[in-house]
Amino acid sequence: MRHADHVARTSQSSSETSALAASWRRSLLKHGLDPSDARRPERLTLAELARRRQAMEHFLRVAGPQLDQLFGLVGLSGCNVLLTDAEGVVLDQRVNAADAEQFRDWGLWQGADWSEAVQGTNGIGTCLAEGRPITIHRGEHFHTRNTAMSCMDAPIWGPDGRLLAALDVSSARADQTERYNRLISAQVAQTARAIETVFFRASYPGARIVAPGDSVDAAVLLAVDTDDLAIGATRAARRVLGLEREGAIRPRPAADLLGRDDDLTGFDKAERAAVARALARADGNVSAAARALGVGRATLYRRMARLGLTERSG
């Protein structure tokens, strides 16, 4: 059976319930695409691409070193590393000169739109449509023209909890196995999380970035201001801590979110934090800490006793 016929039959079969069949069904029935359509993907004009890149300039600058590192791992095996925006338009890429012509011919190039609504089931578009890491291997693509490639993708979530981009590694190798794809997919997911956390840190330059002590997920991060209020959270942290799913979060005491309970309440907590910071900056020297706080040494000792602090708290 021809690939296009197989896709069409599977898409219209009520007995096919896999995630792949669901994507094919969206491509055929929702988006009205033809799996046998052999037209090359259209690309934005240079001016349109420049506008999209400018809108995400900070993100692209932060992600660049991570793309370089990923390409250093997979580039020699004939892979193309691409970074898109949330709409599936390729904004940046890394590719060897020897492989460039093939990928350009396929449309895996800057300015191309690889959303599922335009290209049908593919690594970039389906990753963004479903918001999860995904591998689309050769014949799993919707369009017949794309069945010579394998695509490994992972979503990147912004500091506001919304989908920001997709990271893609595409391969032109005919001998690339699904087992090898799994290895690349794991590296893509790891790099996507690294970009996500680096960009989160860069988005809160004046805040401390902290993580719950019992979290095994490195992407669970909070941004804490100088008043010890949590003012930002990664998507993973929002999910784990039950915070707002998207958008700005309501500022909350970081101690409350991190589970650091004690017997102090209200202003005592703030005073304890201020005294502890002063002691830390003074390397535990009470006299120096007292001068920094504008109080007498004896007064500071009394407050330390009430707040449960010692000279070693610094």
Side-chain angles (χ1 to χ4, degrees):
M1 187 185 301
R2 293 191 314 135
H3 176 265
D5 294 333
H6 173 58
V7 170
R9 291 188 183 184
T10 301
S11 301
Q12 299 177 74
S13 172
S14 59
S15 62
E16 294 289 343
T17 59
S18 67
L20 179 63
S23 177
W24 282 358
R25 193 171 294 118
R26 288 194 301 269
S27 304
L28 183 74
L29 303 179
K30 179 180 178 181
H31 303 307
L33 302 177
D34 179 358
S36 64
D37 186 350
R39 289 176 297 176
R40 294 180 180 179
E42 295 184 359
R43 292 171 59 190
L44 302 181
T45 65
L46 292 178
E48 292 171 331
L49 176 60
R51 281 195 292 271
R52 286 190 179 245
R53 285 182 54 86
Q54 184 176 15
M56 298 185 68
E57 181 180 7
H58 184 205
F59 172 71
L60 294 174
R61 185 169 60 251
V62 169
Q66 300 295 332
L67 296 185
D68 294 337
Q69 184 176 357
L70 178 59
F71 183 66
L73 295 174
V74 303
L76 293 179
S77 62
C79 290
N80 185 10
V81 176
L82 304 106
L83 187 66
T84 79
D85 61 15
E87 296 178 349
V89 175
V90 179
L91 301 182
D92 202 0
Q93 72 182 130
R94 305 288 188 275
V95 63
N96 282 322
D99 303 312
E101 184 178 353
Q102 177 68 81
F103 286 115
R104 188 184 291 109
D105 183 63
W106 279 340
L108 283 166
W109 209 255
Q110 288 190 54
D113 182 351
W114 279 89
S115 62
E116 193 179 72
V118 174
Q119 298 298 333
T121 305
N122 71 89
I124 293 170
T126 304
C127 166
L128 291 171
E130 300 183 359
R132 65 182 180 91
I134 197 167
T135 296
I136 301 296
H137 181 58
R138 299 176 70 81
E140 294 176 337
H141 283 84
F142 179 80
H143 282 130
T144 302
R145 66 168 181 264
N146 294 330
T147 56
M149 65 178 79
S150 295
C151 303
M152 288 65 66
D153 289 77
I156 298 173
W157 302 90
D160 59 0
R162 297 186 176 98
L163 193 57
L164 178 64
L167 178 64
D168 171 87
V169 169
S170 293
S171 172
R173 292 179 62 99
D175 60 347
Q176 187 155 308
T177 65
E178 292 187 59
R179 178 177 296 180
Y180 188 56
N181 285 345
R182 285 196 293 272
L183 294 175
I184 296 179
S185 180
Q187 188 61 53
V188 170
Q190 181 177 332
T191 302
R193 295 290 74 74
I195 293 174
E196 192 174 304
T197 56
V198 170
F199 186 57
F200 179 78
R201 292 175 182 275
S203 299
Y204 292 94
R208 292 182 293 117
I209 306 299
V210 299
D214 57 351
S215 175
V216 297
D217 186 350
V220 178
L221 298 174
L222 292 173
V224 180
D225 68 10
T226 54
D227 295 321
D228 287 323
L229 296 177
I231 56 174
T234 59
R235 180 174 182 270
R238 291 164 184 260
R239 185 175 62 250
V240 169
L241 300 173
L243 304 176
E244 292 86 347
R245 184 174 180 180
E246 294 182 353
I249 69 168
R250 177 175 58 82
R252 298 167 173 85
D256 293 354
L257 295 176
L258 299 174
R260 297 172 183 170
D261 297 328
D262 53 38
D263 296 329
L264 300 176
T265 59
F267 287 108
D268 286 342
K269 285 187 176 182
E271 184 179 4
R272 188 180 196 278
V275 172
R277 286 195 296 269
L279 287 168
R281 290 169 182 149
D283 291 329
N285 187 310
V286 177
S287 296
R291 286 194 298 272
L293 291 169
V295 299
R297 188 168 181 268
T299 299
L300 181 56
Y301 267 121
R302 286 195 299 272
R303 291 187 179 181
M304 288 169 56
R306 180 172 59 83
L307 297 169
L309 294 172
T310 67
E311 294 180 42
R312 293 182 176 236
S313 296

